[in-house]
Amino acid sequence: MSSFESSSSSMNIPPQTKSDYENAEEEKQEASDVRHLEEMGYKQELHRGFSSFMSFAFCFTSTSVVVSIALSFDYTLKTGGSGVAVWSWMIGSLFTILVAYSLAEICSVYPNAGSVYHWSGQLASADSAPLISYFCGWLSFVGNVTGDASYCSGFVSILNAVIMLHDKPSLSTTDQVLISIIVLFTWSAINTLRINQQGWINNLSAIFQLSATLIIVIVLFIMTPKHATVHDVFFSTYNGTGLPFVYVCCISILSTLFSLSGYAGSANLAEETKDAGRTAPKEIVLTCICSAIAGFVYLLAVLFTIPNIAQFVKDNEENENENGDTLDDTVATFKLALSYHGTLILTILLLISFYFAGVASITSTTRLYFSLARDGIFPLSHYFRWIYEGTKAPLAAIISVFVINSILLLFQLISTTAFYAFITLSTSSLQISYLIPVLLRCTTARKTFVLGEFNLGKLSIPIAIISSIWLTITSIILCLPQEYPMTWTNMNYSIVAIVGVLFLAGIYWFVSARYWFTGPKRTDFDTTPLLSGHVINENGASRISSPAKHI
């Protein structure tokens, strides 16, 4: 035995196993993530248990293009028909992916649960950061919470379709609201789990949704007795709006943007994701690309099932039940191709997809709400940022989001028009909230932004400019009228709702928030020590020398 071997034996050091090495690497990465978060001015409070695949599964599930297409399918058919829907999807997907790249690049530098709100506060000038991040935060939260309500309402709509397939009377509005709130409660309850436990649910959900999409596509292509022609799918049009066709081609983009919205959801889970600076931005882009492809294939499958869209719309509108309700358009499409049992099976697959999407949507909203409350953006924020130590879940945020969504759902008892006004707010609010940090990236922060691990290099600014133009144009289009003649029941209330939200947020700003709200912690100019776990806000001394600077 050599002297070296003898020395090693005498030291009795056990060989390092692969498991030991992996554990050491995980601990090293976790320490790096915690340090990065502390450099942004925040303490690690949430449980960092999301792996890379969990992050993708969560983001893919929350976007859930199959569910989103089902929610907007009636609008898709009547606003341009098959040809316009296909080309809108391709064009909208391309630009949405560019926007995703721009947001991902920013996320790589600032992997924070506040996502666009936090990014806006970092990219804006120091003097304007509180005001800009304040309104961006409100728009982002409103877009997310109204998205939750739309998923919940959509779930009950598909459940109602299952009941109607049995030739039973449709549910009353009261029953639908009650069921939707019960479903919402179960979504909230699941969100109280530790994030890695919920991550396994998201993994199952992503696999289920991909499988369900594949099953639906294959079944529709094989079982449909009479397919639409390729020419009909790609070039036939239908205009049920009463508006000029060129105008319809523009407003048809709503269905695509709604279906692909929420792709930045993984950014809201950044503080619970391992290696967040690399994983979260990568999953934003990957989710967007996968959703665009999956959505396109699914959209083709359902459109090829409808030989004549004009006749399909007419027949479905004429087949009202005794309550004046018609079968959901997506379920009616299944019915064209399949027998009762086949239609029921595909509808149940869609219903389960809705449920999983709702769980993930609530997760994204509650993390954003926690981040906003942590910085004091809402009244009484210090009550809403409470973390339950048992699971490291933001329990106060979960309860708050449940209450807010329940109130939105209860509006259906007062006026369905008022409720759908809130729902139309979802896409437009998210578009504007995405626009703010991307626009700041290529203007105010053009020369000061430091590229992170995920970056676009020399293409960064050109893509940010293209993304800003696209988001600006589509934000305007989303607020335009969608039917003619315009009435109180078919009016697009997006602009009214946005102005209403900004007006209420503005009142709170001028009355109170401008005196103490400082926005996200900015370590580049702010040296005030942190309170335990969160930024100095309404609970601490003001760092604003003059309120006028932020008006």
Side-chain angles (χ1 to χ4, degrees):
M1 181 182 295
S2 68
S3 60
F4 176 79
E5 291 174 333
S6 176
S7 175
S8 297
S9 298
S10 64
M11 291 176 65
N12 197 29
I13 299 176
Q16 187 179 48
T17 65
K18 183 178 180 181
S19 177
D20 292 334
Y21 176 77
E22 290 176 349
N23 290 336
E25 286 297 307
E26 285 185 8
E27 291 176 1
K28 182 179 178 181
Q29 184 58 60
E30 184 176 354
S32 176
D33 288 329
V34 171
R35 185 171 63 253
H36 192 176
L37 186 61
E38 289 176 348
E39 288 171 356
M40 288 189 285
Y42 297 92
K43 176 184 176 183
Q44 182 71 53
E45 296 181 272
L46 302 171
H47 176 61
R48 198 174 286 273
F50 252 22
S51 65
S52 178
F53 182 76
M54 285 180 178
S55 178
F56 166 76
F58 162 76
C59 202
F60 184 81
T61 301
S62 62
T63 304
S64 189
V65 286
V66 174
V67 166
S68 301
I69 289 173
L71 282 171
S72 59
F73 197 53
D74 177 70
Y75 181 88
T76 299
L77 294 181
K78 295 178 181 178
T79 312
S82 181
V84 174
V86 169
W87 291 102
S88 291
W89 187 273
M90 288 191 285
I91 295 171
S93 296
L94 174 62
F95 283 100
T96 299
I97 290 171
L98 293 180
V99 175
Y101 268 107
S102 293
L103 292 176
E105 184 179 56
I106 303 171
C107 179
S108 180
V109 180
Y110 306 113
N112 185 283
S115 62
V116 291
Y117 149 76
H118 183 87
W119 306 338
S120 298
Q122 302 300 322
L123 299 174
S125 63
D127 287 343
S128 61
L131 180 64
I132 292 175
S133 62
Y134 175 83
F135 282 102
C136 183
W138 273 95
L139 286 169
S140 181
F141 174 69
V142 168
N144 276 272
V145 78
T146 50
D148 299 340
S150 67
Y151 276 149
C152 208
S153 175
F155 176 89
V156 176
S157 176
I158 299 300
L159 179 63
N160 194 43
V162 172
I163 294 172
M164 292 175 67
L165 284 174
H166 288 79
D167 294 323
K168 302 289 185 181
S170 62
L171 297 168
S172 66
T173 301
T174 302
D175 290 338
Q176 291 187 43
V177 171
L178 178 61
I179 293 172
S180 64
I181 292 177
I182 293 173
V183 170
L184 178 65
F185 177 80
T186 65
W187 292 351
S188 302
I190 292 173
N191 271 278
T192 62
L193 296 173
R194 187 179 287 270
I195 194 63
N196 58 321
Q197 296 171 332
Q198 192 180 333
W200 286 107
I201 296 176
N202 286 321
N203 290 351
L204 173 64
S205 171
I207 294 171
F208 176 87
Q209 289 200 28
L210 285 170
S211 302
T213 303
L214 188 61
I215 291 170
I216 292 172
V217 167
I218 292 174
V219 168
L220 290 181
F221 273 124
I222 293 176
M223 301 301 295
T224 299
K226 183 180 179 182
H227 290 95
T229 65
V230 173
H231 180 273
D232 286 341
V233 169
F234 281 85
F235 299 104
S236 69
T237 61
Y238 175 77
N239 186 356
T241 66
L243 296 163
F245 180 71
V246 174
Y247 181 92
V248 168
C249 290
C250 293
I251 64 172
S252 66
I253 199 67
L254 169 62
S255 57
T256 299
L257 296 180
F258 176 78
S259 299
L260 292 174
S261 63
Y263 51 85
S266 63
N268 291 332
L269 274 291
E271 293 182 30
E272 297 164 271
T273 303
K274 299 174 183 177
D275 195 10
R278 183 182 62 85
T279 299
K282 182 183 71 174
E283 305 313 337
I284 290 175
V285 175
L286 183 60
T287 296
C288 207
I289 294 174
C290 291
S291 296
I293 295 171
F296 183 67
V297 173
Y298 173 79
L299 186 63
L300 286 179
V302 292
L303 291 176
F304 267 110
T305 306
I306 309 173
N308 187 320
I309 287 181
Q311 189 63 46
F312 173 81
V313 172
K314 180 181 178 182
D315 291 344
N316 202 36
E317 288 179 346
E318 289 177 351
N319 293 331
E320 295 181 351
N321 64 13
E322 58 187 21
N323 294 331
D325 295 321
T326 59
L327 193 63
D328 179 85
D329 282 339
T330 301
V331 178
T333 304
F334 296 162
K335 198 174 180 182
L336 278 180
L338 303 167
S339 64
Y340 160 77
H341 289 98
T343 302
L344 183 62
I345 291 172
L346 293 194
T347 305
I348 290 175
L349 289 178
L350 185 61
L351 189 68
I352 297 173
S353 296
F354 258 100
Y355 189 86
F356 280 134
V359 174
S361 182
I362 292 293
T363 307
S364 180
T365 304
T366 54
R367 270 46 180 191
L368 174 63
Y369 187 92
F370 162 76
S371 177
L372 297 173
R374 178 174 60 183
D375 286 348
I377 201 171
F378 302 120
L380 304 176
S381 285
H382 53 284
Y383 292 112
F384 301 136
R385 61 170 308 280
W386 175 59
I387 300 289
Y388 174 59
E389 288 299 321
T391 59
K392 296 291 184 179
L395 192 57
I398 294 170
I399 295 172
S400 300
V401 169
F402 168 74
V403 171
I404 294 169
N405 271 307
S406 297
I407 293 172
L408 290 177
L409 292 168
L410 286 171
F411 264 93
Q412 294 174 89
L413 300 177
I414 302 172
S415 169
T416 54
T417 301
F419 173 71
Y420 287 112
F422 291 123
I423 299 306
T424 58
L425 183 60
S426 176
T427 308
S428 51
S429 293
L430 288 176
Q431 285 288 106
I432 298 172
S433 71
Y434 294 163
L435 169 63
I436 294 173
V438 175
L439 183 61
L440 291 171
R441 165 69 184 93
C442 58
T443 54
T444 305
R446 180 168 184 163
K447 295 182 179 180
T448 58
F449 182 77
V450 178
L451 296 178
E453 185 175 354
F454 183 99
N455 67 80
L456 303 173
K458 294 181 179 179
L459 295 176
S460 177
I461 295 298
I463 290 178
I465 292 173
I466 294 171
S467 299
S468 297
I469 294 172
W470 170 256
L471 289 168
T472 300
I473 293 173
T474 53
S475 295
I476 295 171
I477 289 175
L478 291 176
C479 297
L480 297 176
Q482 297 167 354
E483 289 187 50
Y484 183 84
M486 191 169 60
T487 65
W488 289 109
T489 56
N490 66 22
M491 177 181 171
N492 182 1
Y493 286 93
S494 289
I495 187 63
V496 177
I498 289 174
V499 171
V501 169
L502 294 179
F503 178 74
L504 293 175
I507 290 177
Y508 181 57
W509 172 264
F510 279 102
V511 171
S512 178
R514 63 177 175 144
Y515 294 107
W516 47 259
F517 180 71
T518 59
K521 181 77 172 180
R522 287 176 61 115
T523 54
D524 58 342
F525 79 98
D526 193 346
T527 58
T528 305
L530 287 173
L531 292 181
S532 177
H534 63 97
V535 173
I536 297 287
N537 47 51
E538 81 277 20
N539 299 315
S542 172
R543 290 168 286 179
I544 304 174
S545 58
S546 172
K549 291 171 67 176
H550 304 291
I551 296 177

